[in-house]
Amino acid sequence: SATGQGTSERTFDRREILVGGGLAALALGGAWPGAAWATPATPRVTHALQLAPTDFSIGDTHVRTWAFNGSIPGPEFRVKQGRPVRFVVKNDLPEESSVHWHGIRLANAMDGVPGITQDPIAPSGEFVYEFVPPDAGTYFFHPHVGLQLDTGLYGSLIVEATHERQAYDQDVVIVLDDWLDGVKGRSPMKEYMRLRKIGMPMGMRPRTPKRPYVGLDGRTPAAGSLGWIANALESGSTDPGDVSYPYYLMNGRPPEDPWSLRVHPKQRIRLRVINAAADTIFSFRVGEHPLTVIACDGQDVHPIETDAVVLGMGERIDLLLDASQSGAHEITADALGKSNKAVGVLRYTTATAARATPGSATNLRVAGY
């Protein structure tokens, strides 16, 4: 079993740092004040996590990949703010791994970055992560080793507030991902080697410029604003990433077999949207429903009403949606600057039509942080 005590020296090239997660500020969270750093001696809640090879179906496509507890996305853990938690992690992969708790303020020894904060968990090994989550909010977990995040190794960690300030009827997690592992012989490592060979050219093929996004005031977005950046990504005038993926998934489902959310009229829904993708920026919207941003990356924000939100890789945005319409509506996560999207369906209990109505593709107010 790995102990997390001591590390061996190694060097990193730029790409290893980028594909391994790259957010050193999160890995070095000990600089943040006010967190509950002490490891509890007798945690009250214990969870089990297994990293292992898994068979996974994307519509009619069947792949062999890696996952937590045999599911993609992995488990949705809900824990209490300020309450000790304990995760017993078993590594049944054929290579070393770890678990990084993305966005959680915790002691370095529990942060899951091999070579920096812990020794890697060897194949057939175990590691016990113990911490007290100090902040309520939406977080997720994934390995911090090589290209493992670009398999199915990710899951959500929801820290429920001691005193919740928002009122809602449903609390729903939506995980977005870009996917190529096991599709037509592709794999993250093969794609990485291809990119090394061709030098990772910046940008995709330019497309016809368009302006589907406007500012929150409905006007043409100012240069450098989020709406302006989204339009630049869509037109191909700025770099949307290095990889064009065959699939973009919403809660593990492709557009032809969409994930569905069932709601009652007049309900208020909290949507916790997580971008677990490796190389894709998403624009997220729900038909013609206005959305209210209430939190970003686990931190409450002043509420903002918008039509769409933009999430970079690793971002999480919490939204409120009022179920004030009827029928079935397309939940859309456009892969900005790329040629496809992740799709789900919001379906009212009173809906009779089978087909979901897509939202407007133009003049969308866009927000994000």
Side-chain angles (χ1 to χ4, degrees):
S1 297
T3 64
Q5 305 299 315
T7 59
S8 58
E9 292 187 359
R10 61 170 297 196
T11 59
F12 298 81
D13 64 29
R14 175 180 175 274
R15 188 65 185 180
E16 279 183 289
I17 294 173
L18 288 174
V19 300
L23 299 180
L26 292 180
L28 300 175
W32 290 328
W37 303 127
T39 300
T42 55
R44 301 177 197 168
V45 181
T46 298
H47 301 286
L49 267 179
Q50 179 197 36
L51 299 82
T54 303
D55 293 315
F56 178 49
S57 293
I58 307 172
D60 294 331
T61 301
H62 306 287
V63 304
R64 185 73 169 166
T65 187
W66 295 346
F68 286 111
N69 292 9
S71 67
I72 299 173
E76 177 185 313
F77 292 117
R78 288 184 176 262
V79 300
K80 298 293 185 182
Q81 180 183 14
R83 184 175 178 181
V85 292
R86 184 174 188 259
F87 292 90
V88 180
V89 177
K90 176 69 181 300
N91 180 18
D92 286 327
L93 299 175
E95 63 182 53
E96 298 173 336
S97 193
S98 72
V99 180
H100 171 66
W101 311 95
H102 192 106
I104 296 287
R105 295 190 298 148
L106 39 62
N108 266 1
M110 296 292 110
D111 201 45
V113 185
I116 297 178
T117 66
Q118 71 166 94
D119 290 329
I121 309 172
S124 300
E126 289 188 356
F127 189 90
V128 177
Y129 293 91
E130 297 176 300
F131 55 90
V132 179
D135 306 305
T138 302
Y139 305 93
F140 76 117
F141 56 91
H142 58 82
H144 230 303
V145 175
L147 300 163
Q148 292 178 7
L149 175 57
D150 214 12
T151 65
L153 287 167
Y154 53 85
S156 55
L157 178 62
I158 308 305
V159 182
E160 297 176 338
T162 303
H163 303 289
E164 178 58 66
R165 294 188 293 177
Q166 301 291 341
Y168 42 84
D169 302 297
Q170 285 198 62
D171 188 341
V172 180
V173 176
I174 297 177
V175 184
L176 307 175
D177 191 23
D178 45 20
W179 190 279
L180 59 78
D181 193 30
V183 179
K184 296 182 179 179
R186 298 177 73 180
S187 72
M189 181 54 68
K190 288 179 180 177
E191 192 66 18
Y192 169 55
M193 297 307 296
R194 184 187 72 83
L195 292 172
R196 284 182 62 98
K197 184 176 180 180
I198 66 176
M200 293 188 298
M202 298 294 285
M204 311 292 279
R205 179 177 297 177
R207 306 194 296 181
T208 302
K210 56 182 179 178
R211 289 184 175 179
Y213 299 104
V214 297
L216 290 175
D217 58 2
R219 299 178 181 178
T220 300
S225 68
L226 190 61
W228 180 89
I229 293 169
N231 289 332
L233 288 165
E234 279 290 271
S235 69
S237 59
T238 194
D239 181 24
D242 300 307
V243 181
S244 180
Y245 286 81
Y247 291 103
Y248 298 94
L249 307 180
M250 184 176 296
N251 283 348
R253 306 279 286 272
E256 61 267 28
D257 180 28
W259 170 79
S260 181
L261 171 61
R262 194 169 178 83
V263 301
H264 292 279
K266 299 183 180 181
Q267 278 191 327
R268 170 164 282 189
I269 317 300
R270 181 175 187 152
L271 301 175
R272 301 176 184 265
V273 188
I274 300 170
N275 183 0
D279 188 60
T280 302
I281 301 169
F282 287 104
S283 171
F284 178 88
R285 53 197 166 96
V286 184
E288 300 289 346
H289 292 75
L291 303 169
T292 301
V293 181
I294 58 170
C296 183
D297 292 341
Q299 302 300 311
D300 291 345
V301 298
H302 182 74
I304 298 174
E305 184 176 295
T306 184
D307 300 317
V309 290
V310 171
L311 298 95
M313 290 75 78
E315 279 195 280
R316 295 91 60 210
I317 293 183
D318 289 30
L319 306 163
L320 292 180
L321 178 149
D322 288 318
S324 57
Q325 301 184 29
S326 61
H329 302 262
E330 186 176 280
I331 305 171
T332 306
D334 290 302
L336 290 177
K338 300 182 179 182
S339 59
N340 216 323
K341 59 187 177 181
V343 173
V345 177
L346 182 144
R347 185 176 300 279
Y348 284 79
T349 55
T350 54
T352 56
R355 181 179 293 274
T357 303
S360 171
T362 59
N363 298 325
L364 289 168
R365 297 173 301 156
V366 63
Y369 288 83

